[in-house]
Amino acid sequence: MSGSRGDWRPSASWEVLEVRAAMLARLRAEFAAGGFLEVETPLLCSDVCVDEHLEPFVVEGPAGDELFLQTSPEFSMKRLVADSARPIFQVTRAFRRDEAGLRHNPEFTMIEWYEPGSSYLEQMGFVERLVRVAGEAAGESPPWVDQLEHGEPFGRLSYDEAFVRAIGVEVLGRPTSELIGLARGELESIPDGLADSDRDGWLNLLLCERVEPTLGRDRPEFLYDYPASQAALARIRRGEVDVAERMELYIGGLEICNGYQELTDADEQARRMSEQSRRRAGTGGRSLPVSSRLESALRAGLPECAGVALGFDRLVMCTLGLSRIDQVLAFPFGSA
């Protein structure tokens, strides 16, 4: 995506930029019609979500302290919900240092929202509505529209159901040793350094290589009820096999959004942040602050709610049938 300093023109065409603006305006109108208040929160914060797989940009503050460009507005937005119990949304930039490629840009546009009293399952319907109206705003039928007949809804598959469709077996209740056997039988090569004890690593390998390419291939599809170990800040539902109340939308194998039934337990959040910090330290990751103002907000009381983060750049890509993120950005990373 990078180029010489002489490459001054935008990467996206003006036709694409016009469609992008129309889609964003239509989505804002849809949120307003749904009773959501648009908010703004800081991009530079002393708090940051501690995640083994997300690396923030670090900036030196005026007093020499560390500040973080936000990987998501999640922490600040939940503080607003804890104070108001109002449905809110935000169109913002998010930053992830190590994410660059055909489908990733270290700086990208995220639409994130929280709705008190809603469930992550109900949010699937709202996401579908947003994706459809974004396609209408584009002024042409997205590639996936032809795959839906007579108002057919987007597909919905649980994590285990998606594995059954892709490789014929459920995985959530299987011991790690069986997952390793599955991976060795399904894949031609295994990445070096993947430890036999890394259950999530083996699950993610199978998901990436065998399941994700099948998701949203025939029509947009939601994947939901993830492994409990991959809850992030989602609530866990206990049962014969515990699952994280989490969902993602895929179109053509590309993840478009990530949604949770939000965790409201402050002690559990503190435990998860400490665990993520421990994992980061184990892989040589940068130390990040574990305590946060969000933890204080949770102790004051976060109402039952669902939240969703949608990658707007990727939605534009899928709507227009484009394959590279630089085709929908004015100035991608390396050109600004």
Side-chain angles (χ1 to χ4, degrees):
M1 291 186 210
S2 62
S4 70
R5 291 186 179 271
D7 298 333
W8 61 271
R9 294 185 183 279
S11 177
S13 70
W14 278 103
E15 290 77 11
V16 168
L17 294 176
E18 289 171 358
V19 169
R20 181 185 174 104
M23 291 173 61
L24 191 54
R26 181 64 182 274
L27 291 176
R28 276 192 159 105
E30 197 69 19
F31 277 107
F36 287 79
L37 176 70
E38 183 168 4
V39 299
E40 294 179 302
T41 58
L43 296 178
L44 273 177
C45 299
S46 56
D47 290 341
V48 66
C49 183
V50 182
D51 190 298
E52 179 185 5
H53 303 294
L54 296 182
E55 200 63 40
F57 286 94
V58 183
V59 178
E60 183 177 336
D65 51 333
E66 284 189 342
L67 298 175
F68 304 94
L69 283 170
Q70 296 299 285
T71 58
S72 158
E74 179 174 9
F75 275 32
S76 293
M77 292 187 75
K78 285 182 179 177
R79 289 167 61 190
L80 289 175
V81 174
D83 188 59
S84 68
R86 296 182 62 173
I88 58 173
F89 83 101
Q90 181 170 191
V91 179
T92 188
R93 306 297 273 183
F95 303 84
R96 297 177 183 179
R97 197 184 71 189
D98 293 339
E99 296 191 5
L102 294 179
R103 297 178 166 186
H104 297 83
N105 198 65
E107 178 184 0
F108 59 99
T109 299
M110 178 181 287
I111 304 177
E112 188 154 329
W113 66 93
Y114 294 86
E115 185 172 8
S118 179
S119 74
Y120 74 116
L121 299 175
E122 291 170 331
Q123 286 303 312
M124 292 187 205
F126 186 58
V127 169
E128 179 171 344
R129 188 163 90 234
L130 292 177
V131 171
R132 288 181 183 274
V133 301
E136 293 171 3
E140 58 182 87
S141 293
W144 49 263
V145 167
D146 293 336
Q147 300 165 353
L148 300 174
E149 298 179 359
H150 309 298
E152 179 186 9
F154 291 1
R156 298 187 181 191
L157 286 170
S158 72
Y159 192 90
D160 259 345
E161 288 170 343
F163 271 85
V164 169
R165 187 179 69 178
I167 62 174
V169 296
E170 296 181 345
V171 293
L172 291 183
R174 291 180 179 271
T176 305
S177 59
E178 291 188 18
L179 298 179
I180 294 173
L182 279 173
R184 296 195 184 282
E186 288 283 335
L187 307 177
E188 294 182 1
S189 62
I190 303 295
D192 294 335
L194 185 54
D196 287 354
S197 59
D198 187 0
R199 178 180 179 80
D200 282 333
W202 291 99
L203 281 171
N204 288 336
L205 178 63
L206 284 165
L207 179 73
C208 180
E209 295 295 329
R210 284 292 178 266
V211 179
E212 282 189 333
T214 73
L215 295 173
R217 184 175 57 190
D218 298 325
R219 58 173 172 162
E221 288 183 316
F222 290 99
L223 183 67
Y224 67 95
D225 284 357
Y226 277 66
S229 56
Q230 298 176 24
L233 294 182
R235 187 175 67 186
I236 293 174
R237 186 174 70 250
R238 303 299 179 183
E240 184 177 344
V241 177
D242 296 344
V243 295
E245 294 184 326
R246 172 183 173 188
M247 63 84 172
E248 295 186 354
L249 175 66
Y250 284 83
I251 300 177
L254 182 65
E255 178 203 338
I256 304 298
C257 79
N258 188 15
Y260 303 151
Q261 194 69 41
E262 297 296 342
L263 178 67
T264 59
D265 185 324
D267 291 333
E268 176 63 12
Q269 171 164 308
R271 187 196 68 78
R272 292 188 195 180
M273 292 297 97
S274 294
E275 173 63 17
Q276 288 295 311
S277 181
R278 184 191 66 77
R279 292 185 181 184
R280 287 177 62 86
T283 58
R286 185 188 189 98
S287 176
L288 298 174
V290 172
S291 62
S292 68
R293 292 176 180 85
L294 174 58
E295 182 182 332
S296 300
L298 292 184
R299 295 193 185 283
L302 179 70
E304 186 73 22
C305 65
V308 182
L310 184 147
F312 181 65
D313 307 309
R314 287 187 169 191
L315 178 58
V316 178
M317 286 172 60
C318 290
T319 300
L320 298 181
L322 301 174
S323 60
R324 305 193 319 271
I325 199 167
D326 64 334
Q327 294 173 296
V328 302
L329 302 176
F331 301 112
F333 185 72
S335 68

